[in-house]
Amino acid sequence: MIPGVVQKKGQTYRRFKVKVDGKWKDHYVKLPDPSSPGFAEALAKANGASAVRSDPVAGTFAALAVEHRKRLTTSKLADSTRRNKLYYVALIEETIGARPVRSMRPFHCYKLRDRYADKPGKANNLMAVLKAMLTQAVEYDWIATNPAAGIPLLEIGEHEPWPAEVQEAALRDADPMLQLAIITGLCGGQRLSDCIRMAHSWHDGRIMQIHGQQKTDVAVAIPMHPLWTAAIASMPKKATTLLYDRSGKPFSGPDRIQERLRRLMHKLGYVDDDRQLLYTFHGLRKNACCYLLELGLSDTEVGAILGMTPETVRHYGKRARVLVIAEGALERVTSGKILSFGGTGGDSCGNQPVSKSTLSA
């Protein structure tokens, strides 16, 4: 259940603590059913209603939450991003709302992060919002330094490759620029930070050359699949880069593509119970690795094309390798005899003969 959201007599409410005449009392805001499409928007609106928390104790995280909601409400964030951040503001307030901001220490930040260690994506999102709130507290002189500034994020689980049905659904519903971004990730096998840098001058329609990946400075040369070149040709050249924003300028960073992808995955329902994406852009890098392995390329060849170490290729391609081995052994396995009918002894595995009547029983 979402923090602060309760069920009473079959109805869903957002419960707040409100100080009335010096005493804390429960205040309830009615919400639609959590399964309703309008639930997230109604919850965000309830969380953003500063009047609900009319009298928080000055200098506490409850008071800071009110101020941070005001900032989020007037920001230029996409609605889905704002709702997501408001969710974590509510979670922080529910957990440590009574704590004075000035008493916050790195130890407390670690403790709050590790409370959700079993869900690292949720823990990291919470820490991002906590850091932003504490940065605002520094600006307001509520605290001297941001105790969350140096707290490392938790390791996220593996980025899953996109199944065929996810690729199909995403490409069907994505806007044209996001379609090109997805195909670039799928065919190019690069991180999003490198995909948004790819320029028309970097390829000749056959090979895409990156003279140095942004993260590793590794040079790569990627054979271009016809799907990729067709997708590039379908978009007008409004910028020097393959990918560009709505104003026709190259993307300054990956955030806008990430936000479009996040909205799309939420729309398609590819999220977990905590609204974390089941499939990320980085998962396309694993798709590209698996595809090349299935073509029969060696670990060294795949690594050279995608800018990965052989160890990373083996890790990313472990599922593809299992499939390749199975397909290579298919004819030999299916042409052999695994059961011995009519004989008196067992087969090579020690299995005893099985009668036809036993199989049909």
Side-chain angles (χ1 to χ4, degrees):
M1 180 61 71
I2 298 172
V5 175
V6 297
Q7 295 278 344
K8 294 180 65 176
K9 298 181 179 179
Q11 177 61 52
T12 305
Y13 296 90
R14 175 66 168 99
R15 181 177 63 192
F16 296 97
K17 291 289 185 180
V18 179
K19 204 169 188 180
V20 180
D21 298 329
K23 295 182 180 180
W24 289 100
K25 295 185 178 181
D26 287 336
H27 176 82
Y28 295 91
V29 176
K30 190 174 181 180
L31 298 172
D33 187 89
S35 62
S36 168
F39 173 77
E41 184 176 354
L43 176 61
K45 185 176 180 180
N47 286 337
S50 59
V52 172
R53 301 179 182 241
S54 56
D55 193 18
V57 176
T60 63
F61 274 92
L64 181 58
V66 171
E67 297 301 321
H68 199 63
R69 284 193 187 94
K70 293 177 182 177
R71 178 167 291 188
L72 289 174
T73 301
T74 58
S75 68
K76 295 182 179 180
L77 296 171
D79 289 342
S80 58
T81 301
R82 184 181 296 106
R83 286 196 298 269
N84 189 58
K85 291 183 180 297
L86 285 170
Y87 167 84
Y88 286 101
V89 171
L91 179 58
I92 291 168
E93 185 176 18
E94 189 76 17
T95 307
I96 57 172
R99 175 183 288 279
V101 174
R102 67 176 181 276
S103 72
M104 197 71 171
R105 299 290 182 270
F107 164 76
H108 303 122
C109 298
Y110 276 106
K111 190 174 181 180
L112 184 59
R113 182 202 68 179
D114 293 344
R115 178 179 295 199
Y116 303 98
D118 60 329
K119 298 178 179 179
K122 183 173 185 177
N124 292 345
N125 284 337
L126 182 144
M127 287 304 299
V129 173
L130 179 64
K131 289 178 183 179
M133 291 176 67
L134 287 168
T135 295
Q136 187 172 354
V138 172
E139 295 172 7
Y140 288 3
D141 202 26
W142 290 14
I143 192 170
T145 59
N146 187 337
I151 307 301
L153 300 180
L154 296 177
E155 288 290 332
I156 300 292
E158 290 191 27
H159 298 278
E160 292 295 322
W162 294 21
E165 63 271 16
V166 176
Q167 297 175 36
E168 182 180 359
L171 289 173
R172 182 188 64 238
D173 285 24
D175 62 69
M177 186 53 64
L178 184 55
Q179 286 179 355
L180 178 56
I182 291 171
I183 291 173
T184 299
L186 183 64
C187 298
Q190 301 301 301
R191 301 174 186 87
L192 181 55
S193 58
D194 288 314
C195 289
I196 62 173
R197 295 169 56 226
M198 290 180 182
H200 290 285
S201 61
W202 291 10
H203 74 90
D204 59 1
R206 299 168 51 255
I207 305 292
M208 171 68 73
Q209 296 188 61
I210 301 177
H211 297 293
Q213 291 176 323
Q214 193 170 62
K215 182 177 180 179
T216 63
D217 200 33
V218 172
V220 297
I222 310 160
M224 300 182 72
H225 192 281
L227 174 68
W228 192 9
T229 55
I232 294 172
S234 70
M235 295 295 293
K237 293 182 179 180
K238 293 185 178 180
T240 57
T241 52
L242 309 186
L243 305 175
Y244 50 83
D245 63 22
R246 290 186 173 91
S247 65
K249 297 180 180 178
F251 289 106
S252 59
D255 291 350
R256 292 190 181 181
I257 290 290
Q258 293 283 28
E259 175 55 31
R260 291 191 198 183
L261 181 61
R262 188 160 32 246
R263 289 200 303 267
L264 176 64
M265 289 300 183
H266 276 272
K267 175 186 175 182
L268 295 174
Y270 295 126
V271 294
D272 62 18
D273 292 341
D274 292 311
R275 299 188 293 173
Q276 304 302 310
L277 302 190
L278 296 176
Y279 305 103
T280 65
F281 192 90
H282 199 83
L284 295 171
R285 185 160 160 81
K286 186 174 290 187
N287 279 100
C289 178
C290 293
Y291 173 69
L292 294 177
L293 287 172
E294 288 169 6
L295 292 180
L297 277 68
S298 69
D299 294 347
T300 302
E301 290 172 324
V302 174
I305 291 172
L306 300 182
M308 297 179 182
T309 64
E311 291 75 20
T312 300
V313 171
R314 285 192 286 273
H315 178 66
Y316 276 20
K318 56 190 176 183
R319 294 184 184 177
R321 196 179 309 280
V322 169
L323 179 61
V324 169
I325 292 172
E327 290 181 342
L330 180 63
E331 183 177 352
R332 285 177 291 166
V333 171
T334 55
S335 63
K337 190 174 183 181
I338 198 168
L339 293 176
S340 300
F341 293 114
T344 57
D347 61 16
S348 60
C349 295
N351 297 319
Q352 294 302 309
V354 180
S355 68
K356 294 182 179 179
S357 60
T358 300
L359 290 175
S360 60

